[in-house]
Amino acid sequence: MNGKTHLMGGLAACAVVETVMDGSDFSPLFYIGGMVGAFLPDICHVHSTIGRRLPLLSKMISFVFGHRTFTHSLLFLGIVHVLLDMVLPEAANVHIGLFAGMISHILLDMATVRGVKLFFPFTMRVRLPLYIRTGGKVEGVVQLVLIGWLIIWSYQFVQSWL
């Protein structure tokens, strides 16, 4: 999936989490965390949105692990969780948003032809039964569906305040 799809997926995942958890006390950092999380797994791809902003780190991770392996795995999610607990122990909003974005990213990439190595270091690739080609017309439809869902959710969210 491309960066726009991941961004919309991360925001949609945050909206779902906020609804399910009744996150009325979530700060804007929750959604910022979701947007960062939506891009973070692609740190292994030098031409990705985050890879272009952190080129040295991206090149090192890509060289060592390759694309859609370690940074798209449950192991990576666990390591990020431990690091966040050490660095930002009081920032629950950021943690939850970041993980919503990261999980949405991994799920969206599981819906592509290549899938992901979810159980890295094991080499098995995991792909959803229905999958699409990255950058194709169907991905554009996925983007539109996510945008539409976000618009509907935002409208309902605002109406609940009035």
Side-chain angles (χ1 to χ4, degrees), residues 12-151:
C14 284
V16 168
V17 168
E18 183 171 7
T19 302
V20 170
M21 293 181 67
D22 185 30
S24 55
D25 61 337
F26 283 163
S27 73
L29 291 175
F30 168 72
Y31 282 93
I32 292 170
M35 291 187 286
V36 171
F39 293 123
L40 185 59
D42 272 347
I43 190 68
C44 62
H45 190 290
V46 295
H47 299 293
S48 68
T49 302
I50 194 166
R52 288 190 310 267
R53 283 161 182 70
L54 301 168
L56 183 59
L57 180 60
S58 181
K59 286 176 185 174
M60 288 184 340
I61 292 171
S62 179
F63 178 76
V64 173
F65 298 108
H67 184 48
R68 291 190 184 172
T69 60
F70 170 64
T71 61
H72 288 66
S73 71
L74 297 174
L75 176 62
F76 184 66
L77 288 173
I79 289 170
V80 169
H81 175 68
V82 169
L83 290 173
L84 275 175
D85 276 349
M86 290 172 25
V87 176
L88 298 170
E90 302 297 321
N93 282 339
V94 176
H95 291 213
I96 296 168
L98 188 78
F99 279 94
M102 289 175 65
I103 290 168
S104 77
H105 181 109
I106 292 169
L107 286 171
L108 284 168
D109 278 355
M110 286 171 61
T112 63
V113 174
R114 282 188 62 204
V116 301
K117 291 189 179 176
L118 186 64
F119 303 107
F120 182 87
F122 300 106
T123 58
M124 177 181 72
R125 287 198 175 270
V126 178
R127 177 174 76 184
L128 297 176
L130 295 173
Y131 52 89
I132 63 172
R133 187 176 52 85
T134 300
K137 291 179 182 178
V138 177
E139 183 175 353
V141 172
V142 170
Q143 282 180 12
L144 288 175
V145 167
L146 288 169
I147 291 168
W149 189 86
L150 283 167
I151 290 169

